[in-house]
Amino acid sequence: MNVFEEAADGEQIAGPPSLTDYLLDRSFRWVAMVCAWLIILVVGLLLWKIGVKAVPAIQEYGLGFLTGTTWDVNKRVFGILPEIWGTLYSSVLALAIGGFFGVSMAIFLTQDFLPPRIALVFRTIVELLAAIPSVVYGFWGIFVVVPAIRPVADWLNAEFGWVPFFGTTLSGPGMMPAALVLAIMILPTIAAISQDALRQVPYRIKEAAYGLGATRWEAILKVMLPTASTGIFGALVLGFGRAIGETMALAMLIGNSNQLSLSLFSPGNTLAALLALNFPEAGEHEVPILMYAALVLLLITLTVNMAGTAIMSLTSKQLKAGR
Amino acid sequence: MSAQETLITKDETPDLQRSFVEPRAVFNAVLSGAAWVAAIIASIPLISVLYGLIVRGGHRLSLEVFTELPPAGFEEGGGFGNAIVGTLVTVGIGALISIPFGILAAIFLAELEPDGKVANIARFCAKTLTGLPSILAGVFAYAVVVLATGTYSAPAAGVALALLMLPTVVLTAEESMRMVPSNMKNAAYGLGCTRSQVIWKIVLPTALPGVLTGVMLSIARAAGETAPLLFTALFSNYWFVEGGRADLMTPIASLSVLIYNFSGMPYDNQIELAWTASLVLVLLVLLFNILARVLGRKKV
């Protein structure tokens, strides 16, 4: 006799959840909710912990910390303007280089330039670039990039030394190798998000452009890029955010010298590198100061990333509305 | 324009042949060439990195490097066995914290209250954490664990790594749970399942490949991280397990910090070992990336 026949005979096989089922269900849902709350709490704790530890330094140094240019542990004078400058300068340089190549790569991969197999090769290359750890890039930078660009840098300095950008020779680590490696590291981020943005553009828009007699690049430059521009802009902002927070490659390549310079070949420093280098040996008095610097870095990256995320969500809304 | 004018002024069919010498065709060809050049230039770094790793790191690869301790500057030989163990231990602790916690949070975000206020804020926080500079995760673990326990340790490093792994785990798990067809869930509800039963028996098994993809990606990322380990795990020149005893609350070695430390050394032996360690680290990271890819293929 199968269950249906049993049921037909009047014996109930279905029933409401037992008390155990009910309790298990409730407690499981409760645990899951606590975990979701914990994410919020962790972010709150992150801000709170770094903020509180920074308070003594904020009281002692105030906003002058942001504009001071010396960092001297013995004299207890601390300022992070060179680090803020170095962070922004290296990130802007990296964004200019990585953004150009990243967006070109995204166009190259999405606009039917390649047969699928070769496209797969390039797509894998971009993904592998993203997979290599930052310390390996830094190491590679020291032993491959710096020796490779030093002759070029010294030639530029000798011939065009009067241009502020080429004002110094490249003694070893410096802004240019750091920015180049940083550009390589943000390229995959920019390429991936830009590809998504370009793919979201409805195919018929491009077909319409072709139908009107546009060449491939006319369609790309006048139809595809403007339509995907918000998404590509978001990609650039998120790439910029990543560049600002990147630590190891810069700590290894930028030279960790506390100076303000326009020269592409002089050493500099960034906020993240400052933290990486000073935290392991920080004394009682230095920890709050480093926490202050960490707070500044946190606020800069949070602002940039939130802007990027907001732009991205704007794009998807726009495209949904456009369909 | 010219085509249109001819159409209007002369009573002939316009020239519809594609011209290869008119400016816009040349412009098109030049840009296509430039795109190829840009793509090839963008590929050079990867080839150079891989070449360096294989040529300069590969020749030292032997059993010795996996079983011996890091050499001091003037010593010959040596390896980084303790650093491999250390990387596995710290990443393991990070995974133990972030995976259960992340998946449960994802269940709440995807299934229990996807549009609630808590879910929206939590999702926003997770997205914000995606962009958190890894060094700040280290600063956080330093403030929360190192200062509280008074020592550099593997759990401190694990907390820092967990913070970096969490957003990847949560967001990919949520995404893949949302892909589970609602028909399947409705059928289960129709049979009288409680919501937890539906989640355990329908949603999680169906979404498992996607969830595991996120887990593998987060492990791959954590294995390569250096910045959060610098002042949470520090480094150690000795084995983690010494004489059958393991003391969790001591500094611990890791591959990435070893590479960083050796990169600034003047001794050729250490530089060579750093190349080999880079090769091993990249292989480890790639292994998890490939696992993620393979698992991801089975997605619903």
Side-chain angles (χ1 to χ4, degrees), chain A residues 25 33 35-36 38 42 114 127-128 131 135 140 143 213 217-218 248 252 277 279 302 305, chain B residues 24 28 32 36 48 101 108 128 131 135 142 163 196 226 231 260 263 271 285-286 289 293:
Chain A
D25 180 47
M33 192 176 75
C35 285
L38 275 175
V42 161
L114 302 168
E127 281 168 15
L128 281 177
V135 68
W140 170 74
F143 291 97
W217 276 96
E218 282 167 347
M248 290 322 293
M252 294 163 89
L277 290 160
F279 241 112
L302 279 189
N305 281 319
Chain B
R24 47 197 287 264
N28 190 49
S32 296
W36 268 99
S48 168
F101 170 31
F108 184 81
T128 313
I135 185 95
Y142 181 85
L163 190 63
S196 311
T226 318
F231 41 88
Y260 173 64
S263 73
I271 302 284
V285 170
L286 283 186
N289 267 308
R293 195 69 48 82

mmCIF file of all heavy atoms in Angstrom, chain A residues 25 33 35-36 38 42 114 127-128 131 135 140 143 213 217-218 248 252 277 279 302 305, chain B residues 24 28 32 36 48 101 108 128 131 135 142 163 196 226 231 260 263 271 285-286 289 293:
data_model
loop_
_atom_site.group_PDB
_atom_site.id
_atom_site.type_symbol
_atom_site.label_atom_id
_atom_site.label_comp_id
_atom_site.label_asym_id
_atom_site.label_seq_id
_atom_site.Cartn_x
_atom_site.Cartn_y
_atom_site.Cartn_z
ATOM 1 N N ASP A 25 13.710 26.151 13.012
ATOM 2 C CA ASP A 25 13.493 27.162 11.977
ATOM 3 C C ASP A 25 13.745 28.549 12.540
ATOM 4 O O ASP A 25 14.527 29.325 12.002
ATOM 5 C CB ASP A 25 12.054 27.042 11.450
ATOM 6 C CG ASP A 25 11.781 28.064 10.373
ATOM 7 O OD1 ASP A 25 12.630 28.202 9.471
ATOM 8 O OD2 ASP A 25 10.737 28.731 10.437
ATOM 9 N N MET A 33 20.197 36.173 10.882
ATOM 10 C CA MET A 33 20.019 37.619 11.017
ATOM 11 C C MET A 33 21.167 38.228 11.821
ATOM 12 O O MET A 33 21.676 39.294 11.475
ATOM 13 C CB MET A 33 18.687 37.951 11.659
ATOM 14 C CG MET A 33 18.365 39.410 11.550
ATOM 15 S SD MET A 33 16.755 39.814 12.210
ATOM 16 C CE MET A 33 17.079 39.708 13.939
ATOM 17 N N CYS A 35 24.174 37.196 11.875
ATOM 18 C CA CYS A 35 25.334 37.283 11.004
ATOM 19 C C CYS A 35 25.247 38.505 10.094
ATOM 20 O O CYS A 35 26.255 39.181 9.859
ATOM 21 C CB CYS A 35 25.474 36.021 10.164
ATOM 22 S SG CYS A 35 26.103 34.652 11.130
ATOM 23 N N ALA A 36 24.051 38.782 9.579
ATOM 24 C CA ALA A 36 23.909 39.971 8.738
ATOM 25 C C ALA A 36 24.188 41.224 9.556
ATOM 26 O O ALA A 36 24.861 42.149 9.087
ATOM 27 C CB ALA A 36 22.504 40.021 8.143
ATOM 28 N N LEU A 38 26.131 41.352 12.060
ATOM 29 C CA LEU A 38 27.559 41.387 12.370
ATOM 30 C C LEU A 38 28.362 42.101 11.282
ATOM 31 O O LEU A 38 29.339 42.778 11.576
ATOM 32 C CB LEU A 38 28.093 39.965 12.579
ATOM 33 C CG LEU A 38 27.905 39.423 13.993
ATOM 34 C CD1 LEU A 38 28.337 37.977 14.066
ATOM 35 C CD2 LEU A 38 28.708 40.248 14.991
ATOM 36 N N VAL A 42 30.786 44.969 12.151
ATOM 37 C CA VAL A 42 32.215 44.938 11.851
ATOM 38 C C VAL A 42 32.658 46.247 11.209
ATOM 39 O O VAL A 42 33.682 46.823 11.579
ATOM 40 C CB VAL A 42 32.546 43.732 10.937
ATOM 41 C CG1 VAL A 42 33.876 43.931 10.261
ATOM 42 C CG2 VAL A 42 32.579 42.459 11.756
ATOM 43 N N LEU A 114 37.865 40.013 -32.352
ATOM 44 C CA LEU A 114 38.634 38.779 -32.320
ATOM 45 C C LEU A 114 37.741 37.568 -32.485
ATOM 46 O O LEU A 114 36.600 37.568 -32.025
ATOM 47 C CB LEU A 114 39.336 38.658 -30.959
ATOM 48 C CG LEU A 114 40.263 39.793 -30.576
ATOM 49 C CD1 LEU A 114 40.637 39.670 -29.129
ATOM 50 C CD2 LEU A 114 41.486 39.750 -31.448
ATOM 51 N N GLU A 127 42.596 38.174 -16.621
ATOM 52 C CA GLU A 127 42.234 37.553 -15.341
ATOM 53 C C GLU A 127 43.469 37.108 -14.561
ATOM 54 O O GLU A 127 43.516 37.212 -13.344
ATOM 55 C CB GLU A 127 41.292 36.377 -15.576
ATOM 56 C CG GLU A 127 39.866 36.862 -15.816
ATOM 57 C CD GLU A 127 38.954 35.776 -16.323
ATOM 58 O OE1 GLU A 127 39.322 34.599 -16.231
ATOM 59 O OE2 GLU A 127 37.860 36.127 -16.829
ATOM 60 N N LEU A 128 44.475 36.631 -15.291
ATOM 61 C CA LEU A 128 45.710 36.233 -14.609
ATOM 62 C C LEU A 128 46.403 37.439 -13.992
ATOM 63 O O LEU A 128 46.961 37.354 -12.902
ATOM 64 C CB LEU A 128 46.660 35.546 -15.589
ATOM 65 C CG LEU A 128 46.355 34.100 -15.919
ATOM 66 C CD1 LEU A 128 47.329 33.583 -16.961
ATOM 67 C CD2 LEU A 128 46.455 33.248 -14.678
ATOM 68 N N ALA A 131 45.102 37.968 -10.760
ATOM 69 C CA ALA A 131 45.321 36.923 -9.756
ATOM 70 C C ALA A 131 46.691 37.021 -9.099
ATOM 71 O O ALA A 131 46.893 36.487 -8.021
ATOM 72 C CB ALA A 131 45.157 35.545 -10.403
ATOM 73 N N VAL A 135 52.488 41.511 -3.690
ATOM 74 C CA VAL A 135 53.892 41.457 -3.277
ATOM 75 C C VAL A 135 54.769 40.908 -4.407
ATOM 76 O O VAL A 135 55.913 41.318 -4.589
ATOM 77 C CB VAL A 135 54.054 40.622 -1.977
ATOM 78 C CG1 VAL A 135 53.765 39.162 -2.213
ATOM 79 C CG2 VAL A 135 55.416 40.798 -1.382
ATOM 80 N N TRP A 140 58.768 41.846 -8.584
ATOM 81 C CA TRP A 140 59.063 41.892 -10.018
ATOM 82 C C TRP A 140 59.459 43.322 -10.410
ATOM 83 O O TRP A 140 60.379 43.534 -11.188
ATOM 84 C CB TRP A 140 57.819 41.430 -10.777
ATOM 85 C CG TRP A 140 57.842 41.613 -12.253
ATOM 86 C CD1 TRP A 140 58.542 40.882 -13.157
ATOM 87 C CD2 TRP A 140 57.106 42.586 -12.998
ATOM 88 N NE1 TRP A 140 58.285 41.335 -14.426
ATOM 89 C CE2 TRP A 140 57.399 42.373 -14.350
ATOM 90 C CE3 TRP A 140 56.212 43.598 -12.653
ATOM 91 C CZ2 TRP A 140 56.847 43.147 -15.357
ATOM 92 C CZ3 TRP A 140 55.660 44.367 -13.648
ATOM 93 C CH2 TRP A 140 55.985 44.151 -14.999
ATOM 94 N N PHE A 143 63.107 44.086 -9.495
ATOM 95 C CA PHE A 143 64.174 43.403 -10.234
ATOM 96 C C PHE A 143 64.003 43.445 -11.750
ATOM 97 O O PHE A 143 64.930 43.105 -12.467
ATOM 98 C CB PHE A 143 64.302 41.954 -9.756
ATOM 99 C CG PHE A 143 64.851 41.884 -8.360
ATOM 100 C CD1 PHE A 143 64.007 41.749 -7.270
ATOM 101 C CD2 PHE A 143 66.210 42.013 -8.131
ATOM 102 C CE1 PHE A 143 64.507 41.722 -5.984
ATOM 103 C CE2 PHE A 143 66.715 41.986 -6.849
ATOM 104 C CZ PHE A 143 65.866 41.843 -5.773
ATOM 105 N N GLY A 213 25.527 52.999 -41.783
ATOM 106 C CA GLY A 213 26.765 53.109 -42.542
ATOM 107 C C GLY A 213 27.967 53.496 -41.712
ATOM 108 O O GLY A 213 28.997 53.859 -42.268
ATOM 109 N N TRP A 217 34.696 51.812 -35.831
ATOM 110 C CA TRP A 217 35.163 52.753 -34.797
ATOM 111 C C TRP A 217 34.231 53.934 -34.641
ATOM 112 O O TRP A 217 34.151 54.523 -33.567
ATOM 113 C CB TRP A 217 36.586 53.205 -35.083
ATOM 114 C CG TRP A 217 37.549 52.208 -34.547
ATOM 115 C CD1 TRP A 217 38.139 51.197 -35.227
ATOM 116 C CD2 TRP A 217 37.969 52.075 -33.187
ATOM 117 N NE1 TRP A 217 38.910 50.445 -34.386
ATOM 118 C CE2 TRP A 217 38.836 50.969 -33.128
ATOM 119 C CE3 TRP A 217 37.706 52.789 -32.007
ATOM 120 C CZ2 TRP A 217 39.431 50.543 -31.942
ATOM 121 C CZ3 TRP A 217 38.303 52.384 -30.829
ATOM 122 C CH2 TRP A 217 39.150 51.268 -30.796
ATOM 123 N N GLU A 218 33.529 54.296 -35.726
ATOM 124 C CA GLU A 218 32.520 55.340 -35.556
ATOM 125 C C GLU A 218 31.425 54.843 -34.616
ATOM 126 O O GLU A 218 30.956 55.565 -33.740
ATOM 127 C CB GLU A 218 31.936 55.757 -36.904
ATOM 128 C CG GLU A 218 32.860 56.687 -37.664
ATOM 129 C CD GLU A 218 32.457 56.859 -39.115
ATOM 130 O OE1 GLU A 218 31.610 56.075 -39.619
ATOM 131 O OE2 GLU A 218 32.992 57.771 -39.747
ATOM 132 N N MET A 248 51.483 46.984 -0.920
ATOM 133 C CA MET A 248 52.787 46.330 -0.962
ATOM 134 C C MET A 248 53.643 46.774 -2.132
ATOM 135 O O MET A 248 54.805 47.111 -1.977
ATOM 136 C CB MET A 248 52.617 44.813 -1.003
ATOM 137 C CG MET A 248 52.108 44.236 0.270
ATOM 138 S SD MET A 248 52.780 45.017 1.723
ATOM 139 C CE MET A 248 54.492 44.523 1.593
ATOM 140 N N MET A 252 57.247 48.729 -1.759
ATOM 141 C CA MET A 252 58.497 48.175 -2.256
ATOM 142 C C MET A 252 59.120 49.038 -3.347
ATOM 143 O O MET A 252 60.313 48.973 -3.588
ATOM 144 C CB MET A 252 58.262 46.761 -2.796
ATOM 145 C CG MET A 252 57.864 45.776 -1.704
ATOM 146 S SD MET A 252 57.127 44.271 -2.340
ATOM 147 C CE MET A 252 58.583 43.274 -2.577
ATOM 148 N N LEU A 277 55.248 50.388 6.577
ATOM 149 C CA LEU A 277 56.641 50.440 7.008
ATOM 150 C C LEU A 277 56.800 50.810 8.472
ATOM 151 O O LEU A 277 57.748 50.389 9.120
ATOM 152 C CB LEU A 277 57.407 51.432 6.149
ATOM 153 C CG LEU A 277 57.567 50.903 4.734
ATOM 154 C CD1 LEU A 277 57.857 52.018 3.773
ATOM 155 C CD2 LEU A 277 58.666 49.861 4.699
ATOM 156 N N PHE A 279 54.280 50.635 11.053
ATOM 157 C CA PHE A 279 53.519 49.929 12.080
ATOM 158 C C PHE A 279 54.319 48.846 12.799
ATOM 159 O O PHE A 279 54.274 48.751 14.025
ATOM 160 C CB PHE A 279 52.245 49.322 11.480
ATOM 161 C CG PHE A 279 51.017 49.878 12.111
ATOM 162 C CD1 PHE A 279 50.152 50.695 11.406
ATOM 163 C CD2 PHE A 279 50.720 49.611 13.447
ATOM 164 C CE1 PHE A 279 49.032 51.217 12.004
ATOM 165 C CE2 PHE A 279 49.597 50.131 14.042
ATOM 166 C CZ PHE A 279 48.755 50.938 13.325
ATOM 167 N N LEU A 302 37.021 55.296 1.340
ATOM 168 C CA LEU A 302 35.575 55.115 1.466
ATOM 169 C C LEU A 302 34.841 56.075 0.547
ATOM 170 O O LEU A 302 33.908 55.690 -0.161
ATOM 171 C CB LEU A 302 35.125 55.355 2.912
ATOM 172 C CG LEU A 302 35.311 54.202 3.889
ATOM 173 C CD1 LEU A 302 34.633 54.516 5.203
ATOM 174 C CD2 LEU A 302 34.764 52.910 3.311
ATOM 175 N N ASN A 305 35.301 54.958 -3.107
ATOM 176 C CA ASN A 305 34.583 53.726 -3.433
ATOM 177 C C ASN A 305 33.077 53.904 -3.415
ATOM 178 O O ASN A 305 32.360 53.341 -4.245
ATOM 179 C CB ASN A 305 34.983 52.617 -2.466
ATOM 180 C CG ASN A 305 36.304 52.021 -2.853
ATOM 181 O OD1 ASN A 305 36.563 51.818 -4.027
ATOM 182 N ND2 ASN A 305 37.145 51.768 -1.883
ATOM 183 N N ARG B 24 37.697 58.267 -43.339
ATOM 184 C CA ARG B 24 37.109 57.539 -42.215
ATOM 185 C C ARG B 24 37.483 56.063 -42.230
ATOM 186 O O ARG B 24 37.600 55.435 -41.173
ATOM 187 C CB ARG B 24 35.592 57.734 -42.178
ATOM 188 C CG ARG B 24 34.882 57.550 -43.493
ATOM 189 C CD ARG B 24 33.506 58.163 -43.436
ATOM 190 N NE ARG B 24 32.577 57.383 -42.639
ATOM 191 C CZ ARG B 24 31.734 56.488 -43.142
ATOM 192 N NH1 ARG B 24 31.728 56.246 -44.435
ATOM 193 N NH2 ARG B 24 30.908 55.847 -42.361
ATOM 194 N N ASN B 28 39.552 54.312 -39.249
ATOM 195 C CA ASN B 28 39.067 53.062 -38.680
ATOM 196 C C ASN B 28 40.184 52.026 -38.601
ATOM 197 O O ASN B 28 40.398 51.397 -37.557
ATOM 198 C CB ASN B 28 37.917 52.544 -39.555
ATOM 199 C CG ASN B 28 37.191 51.393 -38.906
ATOM 200 O OD1 ASN B 28 36.818 51.488 -37.751
ATOM 201 N ND2 ASN B 28 37.023 50.321 -39.648
ATOM 202 N N SER B 32 41.951 50.404 -35.252
ATOM 203 C CA SER B 32 41.949 48.956 -35.028
ATOM 204 C C SER B 32 43.362 48.459 -34.770
ATOM 205 O O SER B 32 43.590 47.651 -33.868
ATOM 206 C CB SER B 32 41.366 48.223 -36.237
ATOM 207 O OG SER B 32 40.019 48.592 -36.396
ATOM 208 N N TRP B 36 44.984 46.699 -31.267
ATOM 209 C CA TRP B 36 45.833 45.498 -31.205
ATOM 210 C C TRP B 36 47.117 45.786 -30.442
ATOM 211 O O TRP B 36 47.524 45.019 -29.567
ATOM 212 C CB TRP B 36 46.191 45.030 -32.626
ATOM 213 C CG TRP B 36 45.240 44.026 -33.176
ATOM 214 C CD1 TRP B 36 44.211 44.261 -34.030
ATOM 215 C CD2 TRP B 36 45.221 42.625 -32.884
ATOM 216 N NE1 TRP B 36 43.557 43.090 -34.288
ATOM 217 C CE2 TRP B 36 44.146 42.067 -33.611
ATOM 218 C CE3 TRP B 36 45.998 41.791 -32.083
ATOM 219 C CZ2 TRP B 36 43.831 40.723 -33.562
ATOM 220 C CZ3 TRP B 36 45.686 40.439 -32.035
ATOM 221 C CH2 TRP B 36 44.604 39.926 -32.776
ATOM 222 N N SER B 48 56.115 38.912 -18.847
ATOM 223 C CA SER B 48 57.378 39.186 -18.167
ATOM 224 C C SER B 48 57.377 38.611 -16.754
ATOM 225 O O SER B 48 58.371 38.022 -16.326
ATOM 226 C CB SER B 48 57.606 40.691 -18.136
ATOM 227 O OG SER B 48 58.650 41.005 -17.264
ATOM 228 N N PHE B 101 30.247 32.449 8.740
ATOM 229 C CA PHE B 101 29.660 33.731 9.026
ATOM 230 C C PHE B 101 29.149 34.393 7.727
ATOM 231 O O PHE B 101 27.997 34.869 7.644
ATOM 232 C CB PHE B 101 30.776 34.507 9.737
ATOM 233 C CG PHE B 101 30.580 35.946 9.976
ATOM 234 C CD1 PHE B 101 29.323 36.478 10.181
ATOM 235 C CD2 PHE B 101 31.686 36.782 10.028
ATOM 236 C CE1 PHE B 101 29.178 37.825 10.424
ATOM 237 C CE2 PHE B 101 31.534 38.125 10.266
ATOM 238 C CZ PHE B 101 30.286 38.648 10.453
ATOM 239 N N PHE B 108 20.626 35.270 4.853
ATOM 240 C CA PHE B 108 19.705 36.316 5.293
ATOM 241 C C PHE B 108 19.461 37.311 4.166
ATOM 242 O O PHE B 108 18.319 37.683 3.882
ATOM 243 C CB PHE B 108 20.288 37.035 6.513
ATOM 244 C CG PHE B 108 19.370 38.065 7.081
ATOM 245 C CD1 PHE B 108 18.334 37.696 7.929
ATOM 246 C CD2 PHE B 108 19.526 39.398 6.761
ATOM 247 C CE1 PHE B 108 17.473 38.640 8.447
ATOM 248 C CE2 PHE B 108 18.661 40.346 7.278
ATOM 249 C CZ PHE B 108 17.638 39.968 8.124
ATOM 250 N N THR B 128 31.073 48.040 0.612
ATOM 251 C CA THR B 128 32.105 48.984 1.045
ATOM 252 C C THR B 128 33.375 48.240 1.437
ATOM 253 O O THR B 128 34.481 48.675 1.119
ATOM 254 C CB THR B 128 31.608 49.792 2.261
ATOM 255 O OG1 THR B 128 30.291 50.242 1.960
ATOM 256 C CG2 THR B 128 32.482 50.969 2.549
ATOM 257 N N GLY B 131 36.095 47.360 -1.160
ATOM 258 C CA GLY B 131 37.110 48.333 -1.537
ATOM 259 C C GLY B 131 38.031 48.705 -0.394
ATOM 260 O O GLY B 131 38.820 49.625 -0.527
ATOM 261 N N ILE B 135 45.702 47.009 3.828
ATOM 262 C CA ILE B 135 46.508 47.453 4.971
ATOM 263 C C ILE B 135 45.610 47.851 6.141
ATOM 264 O O ILE B 135 45.954 47.652 7.306
ATOM 265 C CB ILE B 135 47.438 48.616 4.558
ATOM 266 C CG1 ILE B 135 48.377 49.017 5.685
ATOM 267 C CG2 ILE B 135 46.662 49.859 4.168
ATOM 268 C CD1 ILE B 135 49.691 48.389 5.634
ATOM 269 N N TYR B 142 45.205 44.719 14.178
ATOM 270 C CA TYR B 142 46.210 45.171 15.142
ATOM 271 C C TYR B 142 45.518 45.810 16.349
ATOM 272 O O TYR B 142 45.816 45.488 17.497
ATOM 273 C CB TYR B 142 47.142 46.179 14.465
ATOM 274 C CG TYR B 142 48.248 46.700 15.352
ATOM 275 C CD1 TYR B 142 49.433 46.002 15.501
ATOM 276 C CD2 TYR B 142 48.102 47.908 16.024
ATOM 277 C CE1 TYR B 142 50.446 46.474 16.307
ATOM 278 C CE2 TYR B 142 49.114 48.397 16.840
ATOM 279 C CZ TYR B 142 50.283 47.676 16.975
ATOM 280 O OH TYR B 142 51.277 48.146 17.785
ATOM 281 N N LEU B 163 38.416 39.549 7.387
ATOM 282 C CA LEU B 163 37.763 40.800 7.023
ATOM 283 C C LEU B 163 37.852 41.042 5.515
ATOM 284 O O LEU B 163 36.928 41.580 4.902
ATOM 285 C CB LEU B 163 38.438 41.948 7.789
ATOM 286 C CG LEU B 163 37.760 43.304 7.735
ATOM 287 C CD1 LEU B 163 36.393 43.210 8.372
ATOM 288 C CD2 LEU B 163 38.606 44.342 8.450
ATOM 289 N N SER B 196 13.582 27.233 6.903
ATOM 290 C CA SER B 196 14.929 26.697 7.112
ATOM 291 C C SER B 196 15.133 25.422 6.315
ATOM 292 O O SER B 196 16.197 25.196 5.738
ATOM 293 C CB SER B 196 15.166 26.387 8.580
ATOM 294 O OG SER B 196 14.779 27.477 9.351
ATOM 295 N N THR B 226 49.708 40.457 1.684
ATOM 296 C CA THR B 226 50.891 40.684 2.502
ATOM 297 C C THR B 226 50.633 41.761 3.541
ATOM 298 O O THR B 226 50.932 41.584 4.720
ATOM 299 C CB THR B 226 52.056 41.175 1.634
ATOM 300 O OG1 THR B 226 52.066 40.413 0.454
ATOM 301 C CG2 THR B 226 53.353 41.026 2.360
ATOM 302 N N PHE B 231 51.984 43.419 10.317
ATOM 303 C CA PHE B 231 52.032 43.709 11.749
ATOM 304 C C PHE B 231 50.906 43.009 12.496
ATOM 305 O O PHE B 231 50.403 43.508 13.488
ATOM 306 C CB PHE B 231 52.024 45.211 12.017
ATOM 307 C CG PHE B 231 51.104 45.982 11.145
ATOM 308 C CD1 PHE B 231 49.788 46.172 11.506
ATOM 309 C CD2 PHE B 231 51.555 46.512 9.953
ATOM 310 C CE1 PHE B 231 48.945 46.886 10.698
ATOM 311 C CE2 PHE B 231 50.697 47.221 9.134
ATOM 312 C CZ PHE B 231 49.392 47.413 9.511
ATOM 313 N N TYR B 260 58.544 39.665 0.731
ATOM 314 C CA TYR B 260 58.766 41.078 1.028
ATOM 315 C C TYR B 260 60.081 41.279 1.784
ATOM 316 O O TYR B 260 60.895 42.131 1.415
ATOM 317 C CB TYR B 260 57.588 41.610 1.835
ATOM 318 C CG TYR B 260 57.784 43.016 2.337
ATOM 319 C CD1 TYR B 260 57.908 44.074 1.439
ATOM 320 C CD2 TYR B 260 57.849 43.286 3.693
ATOM 321 C CE1 TYR B 260 58.095 45.364 1.895
ATOM 322 C CE2 TYR B 260 58.040 44.574 4.151
ATOM 323 C CZ TYR B 260 58.167 45.611 3.247
ATOM 324 O OH TYR B 260 58.353 46.872 3.697
ATOM 325 N N SER B 263 63.120 40.606 -0.396
ATOM 326 C CA SER B 263 63.289 41.483 -1.560
ATOM 327 C C SER B 263 64.248 42.620 -1.244
ATOM 328 O O SER B 263 64.885 43.163 -2.132
ATOM 329 C CB SER B 263 61.943 42.039 -2.005
ATOM 330 O OG SER B 263 61.503 43.004 -1.076
ATOM 331 N N ILE B 271 67.550 36.399 -2.456
ATOM 332 C CA ILE B 271 66.797 36.910 -3.596
ATOM 333 C C ILE B 271 66.298 35.740 -4.450
ATOM 334 O O ILE B 271 65.137 35.704 -4.877
ATOM 335 C CB ILE B 271 67.678 37.844 -4.458
ATOM 336 C CG1 ILE B 271 68.213 39.001 -3.626
ATOM 337 C CG2 ILE B 271 66.934 38.331 -5.677
ATOM 338 C CD1 ILE B 271 67.243 40.085 -3.323
ATOM 339 N N VAL B 285 47.972 30.487 -5.526
ATOM 340 C CA VAL B 285 46.850 31.378 -5.810
ATOM 341 C C VAL B 285 46.115 30.911 -7.068
ATOM 342 O O VAL B 285 44.883 30.867 -7.112
ATOM 343 C CB VAL B 285 47.346 32.833 -5.963
ATOM 344 C CG1 VAL B 285 46.253 33.724 -6.495
ATOM 345 C CG2 VAL B 285 47.858 33.357 -4.636
ATOM 346 N N LEU B 286 46.895 30.533 -8.099
ATOM 347 C CA LEU B 286 46.271 30.073 -9.342
ATOM 348 C C LEU B 286 45.462 28.810 -9.114
ATOM 349 O O LEU B 286 44.392 28.640 -9.686
ATOM 350 C CB LEU B 286 47.335 29.823 -10.409
ATOM 351 C CG LEU B 286 47.897 31.068 -11.071
ATOM 352 C CD1 LEU B 286 48.829 30.676 -12.195
ATOM 353 C CD2 LEU B 286 46.788 31.950 -11.600
ATOM 354 N N ASN B 289 42.232 29.792 -7.863
ATOM 355 C CA ASN B 289 41.477 30.439 -8.931
ATOM 356 C C ASN B 289 40.903 29.420 -9.904
ATOM 357 O O ASN B 289 39.767 29.542 -10.365
ATOM 358 C CB ASN B 289 42.380 31.415 -9.690
ATOM 359 C CG ASN B 289 42.278 32.813 -9.122
ATOM 360 O OD1 ASN B 289 41.188 33.334 -8.968
ATOM 361 N ND2 ASN B 289 43.398 33.386 -8.782
ATOM 362 N N ARG B 293 37.071 28.462 -10.895
ATOM 363 C CA ARG B 293 36.577 28.414 -12.267
ATOM 364 C C ARG B 293 35.872 27.088 -12.545
ATOM 365 O O ARG B 293 34.774 27.052 -13.102
ATOM 366 C CB ARG B 293 37.776 28.591 -13.211
ATOM 367 C CG ARG B 293 37.497 28.906 -14.606
ATOM 368 C CD ARG B 293 36.928 30.282 -14.781
ATOM 369 N NE ARG B 293 37.667 31.302 -14.058
ATOM 370 C CZ ARG B 293 38.775 31.870 -14.517
ATOM 371 N NH1 ARG B 293 39.263 31.516 -15.670
ATOM 372 N NH2 ARG B 293 39.389 32.795 -13.831
#
